[in-house]
Amino acid sequence: MGVRPRDRPGDGGAGGGEYRRIAETIAQELRGAGPAAVPGRLCAAAVTLLPVDGASVSLRGDAMPVHLAASGPRAARLAQLQATLGDGPCCHVLVTGAPVLVRDLAADDCAHRWPVFAQQALGAGVRAVYALPLGIAGVCVGTLDLYRDTPGALTDRQLRTARLVAGVMTGALMDLPHDPRDGGEPWLSGLAADHDRVHQAVGMIMAQLGVGADEALARLRGDAFAQGATVLEVALDVVAHRRRFDAS
């Protein structure tokens, strides 16, 4: 898969040489990658191009972000943590469609805004988070989340590069086959199955406790966080009847 000219996002004044450098790095990272590997390879390209230590991609779900890929285990865990909590920069971007650029998670405003996420991220050694929307025509379909171990803001040029990466990533994700009939690996099939398990678990918790969907999802999230697990891990236990939320 290559990065074609039509994938080029608005560059906000970036020069052609800068875009070519970004496109060449991404193209090199994607060389030989099958559809399922592309999101993770794009995260790795973001880490190469920017002064960050990790990157993750999440897609908009019905009730919560759906973690898609990451540059490494720590970035993946931070993305899953935001999905579990229903809070954090990624969740804010999915609601507003606007970037969230956090220069220091240790600042007081972050402790008030995302108390649990900020504490957990700091405990993992992350000090700054830059979350950018993925999408076109003002429609946010996901987020690119960048993590850095040292505090500080991105420079204008670095932010421009990050936006270019997000734009190229949006185009690349849209190009991936979503259905076997499109002539490729249905890379979203496993992701959709995981999302279905969460919905199934929420339905089972609703029946067990006699509560609404929002309350059932909140209980699922709370149980996952208390166990240090992801929402999906607890949902699989619920669906397999290894975990119940009532007293019986």
Side-chain angles (χ1 to χ4, degrees):
M1 174 189 162
V3 180
R4 295 181 294 282
R6 70 178 179 84
D7 293 328
R8 178 173 179 169
D11 61 16
E18 184 175 358
Y19 177 79
R20 281 194 296 274
R21 177 180 66 87
I22 294 169
E24 288 169 3
T25 299
I26 292 176
Q28 181 177 355
E29 193 68 49
L30 293 181
R31 191 166 293 120
V38 166
R41 295 281 192 92
L42 289 170
C43 288
V47 174
T48 298
L49 288 163
L50 292 159
V52 297
D53 301 288
S56 65
V57 178
S58 296
L59 299 181
R60 180 191 293 277
D62 293 338
M64 57 189 294
V66 181
H67 170 59
L68 177 58
S71 60
R74 184 175 61 165
R77 193 67 185 177
L78 288 169
Q80 292 162 350
L81 174 65
Q82 293 184 78
T84 297
L85 296 173
D87 200 11
C90 165
C91 297
H92 189 84
V93 171
L94 290 175
V95 170
T96 66
V100 175
L101 308 174
V102 182
R103 61 186 302 165
D104 191 354
L105 283 168
D108 289 342
D109 59 336
C110 291
H112 291 299
R113 192 176 188 184
W114 308 298
V116 180
F117 171 75
Q119 180 187 45
Q120 295 288 314
L122 288 169
V126 173
R127 288 292 299 271
V129 180
Y130 318 108
L132 302 173
L134 302 179
I136 55 174
V139 178
C140 179
V141 299
T143 67
L144 168 63
D145 302 312
L146 306 168
Y147 309 100
R148 194 161 82 178
D149 295 350
T150 55
L154 295 176
T155 66
D156 288 344
R157 180 174 182 177
Q158 290 164 353
L159 183 57
R160 189 163 60 240
T161 297
R163 286 175 169 152
L164 282 169
V165 172
V168 174
M169 183 173 288
T170 297
L173 291 175
M174 291 176 65
D175 277 348
L176 293 176
H178 292 194
D179 190 290
R181 291 169 295 182
D182 294 335
E185 178 185 348
W187 65 283
L188 279 175
S189 59
L191 198 65
D194 290 346
H195 204 49
D196 288 345
R197 294 294 183 274
V198 173
H199 281 291
Q200 186 179 353
V202 167
M204 292 173 68
I205 296 169
M206 290 170 64
Q208 291 170 14
L209 299 179
V211 298
D214 288 346
E215 174 67 16
L217 179 58
R219 295 288 189 97
L220 182 66
R221 280 175 159 155
D223 193 72
F225 181 71
Q227 294 185 47
T230 67
V231 168
L232 176 60
E233 288 167 345
V234 176
L236 292 174
D237 283 343
V238 172
V239 171
H241 303 285
R242 294 188 296 266
R243 173 75 174 95
R244 292 187 63 89
F245 280 74
D246 55 12
S248 59

